[in-house]
Amino acid sequence: MADFSEIIDQGQLKEHMQNALLADKISHAYIISGEVGSGKEFVARIFAKALQCESREERGEYLEACNSCPSCVKALSDSHPDIITITHEKPGSIGVDDIRQKLRDDVVIKPYESKHKIYIIPEGEKMTPAAQNALLKTLEEPPSYIVIIILTSNINAFLQTIISRCIVLPMKPAQDDAIKKYLMEECQVVDYKAMLCASFARGNVGKALELASNERFENLKESAIELIAKLERLEIHDIMDRLHTMLAPSEEEVKTAKKGIDQKNFEDFMDILAFLFRDMLVYKATENPDHLIFTDKLSYIRSVTVNISYEQLNEIIKTMEQAKNRINSNVNIDLVLELMLITIKGYIYDKSNRR
């Protein structure tokens, strides 16, 4: 049962919501902003459930919904008549008719059974200017019982008049240690994998959960590190063949006409290499495996760092940054990756370059 105690970090956001519940001073409109996968809807539904709960109770350090009253039971099953999610027909936008029919024209109807009538708007940044103006009319003269919770990954997409009438609650990146602890205790993820997922997620809890349960990412990690380890024995055509196989889109994506290198696979591949060489720098400086992300690759990391200098490791990292910048500038991705991997091969395995 999702409660405030299960929200990882987000101290300021939780404090604001807790104070609102304790003082019974609820705003008519909130914007919860944060990147995709950060847990915005998870937080919104915990808040909505607590707002509608008939007998809140203190558990630990939070005032929580009881999770057993009729209101909570309905909220937990997504069937509460006074917690309404605004959906939209077009995947790319929320149109004026969506807001008019599902919110503006509906707010005149009082709550069916609770004190509040709560509207949750996922992907709020997709509202067209006309939709935002339709919403603005409700925000300017809201009925006393409504609470609108707008979720967004891009607060800059809103009219300033919308923002000024809402309480803005930003989702901040969660700490790696907090994510790791959650993955280990709640999801039974082993420690080294939990650390890896937390590091790659960069504070995004949703991404960490996805990585922890994603066989694709685990396979990509193993293949990427294996490719670097075998660069010395591979010709360039073999390197590129392996790379294309590794970064190819899934069968489902091929069916939808996506071909070549998958963007998500490419981004994860580059992140894997960045963390691998970061580990090498850390190990060369400390010879302490406790600070590594790829703790399961200690033997390989040790073997490379014996024969490579700090300067060469830094040059590899610079080369990777240049590769990402070139690809962002629409330079041919195959040529960029080929040059990057040849350069990495030279620094790691060319004995004349070793110091």
Side-chain angles (χ1 to χ4, degrees):
M1 294 181 181
D3 293 310
F4 283 100
S5 61
E6 294 182 46
I7 300 173
I8 301 174
D9 283 354
Q10 311 305 331
Q12 289 183 329
L13 180 149
K14 286 189 284 189
E15 182 181 5
H16 182 96
M17 290 182 173
Q18 285 287 299
N19 289 339
L21 291 169
L22 288 164
D24 197 26
K25 291 185 178 179
I26 312 301
S27 173
H28 290 302
Y30 296 87
I31 294 175
I32 301 178
S33 66
E35 63 182 37
V36 175
S38 57
K40 300 183 293 292
E41 188 162 356
F42 180 72
V43 169
R45 295 197 177 280
I46 289 171
F47 188 38
K49 174 167 64 91
L51 283 172
Q52 303 292 43
C53 178
E54 298 165 16
S55 52
R56 296 177 204 135
E57 56 191 30
E58 290 189 13
R59 293 200 300 277
E61 57 184 305
Y62 300 110
L63 182 64
E64 303 275 21
C66 70
N67 292 324
S68 57
C69 69
S71 176
C72 283
V73 170
K74 290 173 185 174
L76 288 165
S77 64
D78 291 330
S79 59
H80 199 300
D82 295 321
I83 300 176
I84 301 151
T85 301
I86 304 299
T87 57
H88 47 101
E89 297 290 333
K90 297 179 181 178
S93 68
I94 301 173
V96 64
D97 288 339
D98 294 315
I99 296 299
R100 281 177 180 161
Q101 295 168 12
K102 298 171 185 177
L103 193 154
R104 199 184 74 181
D105 294 346
D106 188 70
V107 297
V108 296
I109 303 170
K110 292 185 177 180
Y112 292 99
E113 57 187 55
S114 300
K115 180 179 178 180
H116 303 285
K117 194 169 187 180
I118 301 171
Y119 296 87
I120 298 174
I121 308 178
E123 301 180 305
E125 69 279 357
K126 292 184 177 180
M127 281 190 286
T128 63
Q132 291 188 46
N133 280 314
L135 175 63
L136 186 59
K137 293 181 179 179
T138 299
L139 294 178
E140 288 171 339
E141 298 180 0
S144 60
Y145 47 80
I146 73 159
V147 178
I148 297 171
I149 306 176
I150 306 169
L151 314 178
T152 184
S153 58
N154 179 16
I155 196 166
N156 295 320
F158 295 110
L159 300 172
Q160 190 57 45
T161 45
I162 294 281
I163 296 173
S164 66
R165 286 169 172 78
C166 298
I167 300 292
V168 178
L169 300 173
M171 298 279 291
K172 297 182 179 179
Q175 296 294 312
D176 284 1
D177 287 346
I179 297 176
K180 178 184 175 184
K181 181 180 178 183
Y182 181 82
L183 291 176
M184 291 175 64
E185 293 180 357
E186 302 298 327
C187 306
Q188 286 72 55
V189 178
V190 295
D191 56 355
Y192 79 87
K193 187 173 181 180
M195 182 62 194
L196 175 66
C197 294
S199 299
F200 270 78
R202 293 188 174 90
N204 187 316
V205 177
K207 184 173 182 180
L209 289 167
E210 178 195 354
L211 294 175
S213 61
N214 193 328
E215 190 176 337
R216 175 200 65 83
F217 177 74
E218 183 66 24
N219 292 338
L220 180 61
K221 182 202 82 170
E222 293 297 326
S223 298
I225 296 176
E226 180 186 25
L227 175 65
I228 299 301
K230 291 183 177 180
L231 279 178
E232 184 178 24
R233 302 191 298 274
L234 296 175
E235 298 296 329
I236 189 59
H237 65 87
D238 296 318
I239 292 171
M240 295 309 293
D241 284 347
R242 284 174 177 247
L243 193 62
H244 282 145
T245 300
M246 192 188 314
L247 303 185
S250 66
E251 291 182 11
E252 190 59 36
E253 289 169 323
V254 170
K255 288 178 186 175
T256 57
K258 287 189 177 181
K259 296 180 180 178
I261 288 176
D262 177 75
Q263 183 66 23
K264 182 170 178 55
N265 286 342
F266 165 72
E267 291 171 0
D268 285 344
F269 171 75
M270 295 297 286
D271 281 346
I272 288 165
L273 296 195
F275 279 112
L276 175 65
F277 291 110
R278 170 263 180 206
D279 271 2
M280 290 181 184
L281 271 175
V282 169
Y283 189 76
K284 188 165 185 67
T286 66
E287 294 189 358
N288 184 350
D290 293 343
H291 302 298
L292 301 184
I293 293 169
F294 293 115
T295 54
D296 58 328
K297 303 299 178 185
L298 175 60
S299 177
Y300 173 64
I301 290 168
R302 183 187 288 125
S303 70
V304 172
T305 54
V306 166
N307 296 307
I308 195 168
S309 68
Y310 290 111
E311 292 79 11
Q312 288 167 325
L313 285 169
N314 279 318
E315 286 301 318
I316 288 172
I317 292 169
K318 283 183 187 177
T319 297
M320 291 176 56
E321 290 171 353
Q322 290 170 354
K324 289 180 92 170
N325 291 335
R326 286 169 180 160
I327 289 168
N328 289 335
S329 301
N330 293 320
V331 178
N332 183 284
I333 190 168
D334 273 10
L335 291 176
V336 173
L337 288 175
E338 182 177 317
L339 177 61
M340 181 189 79
L341 290 167
I342 289 172
T343 303
I344 291 172
K345 178 179 179 179
Y347 279 122
I348 296 178
Y349 299 111
D350 185 348
K351 292 180 174 58
S352 64
N353 280 335
R354 292 182 178 176
R355 300 175 189 176

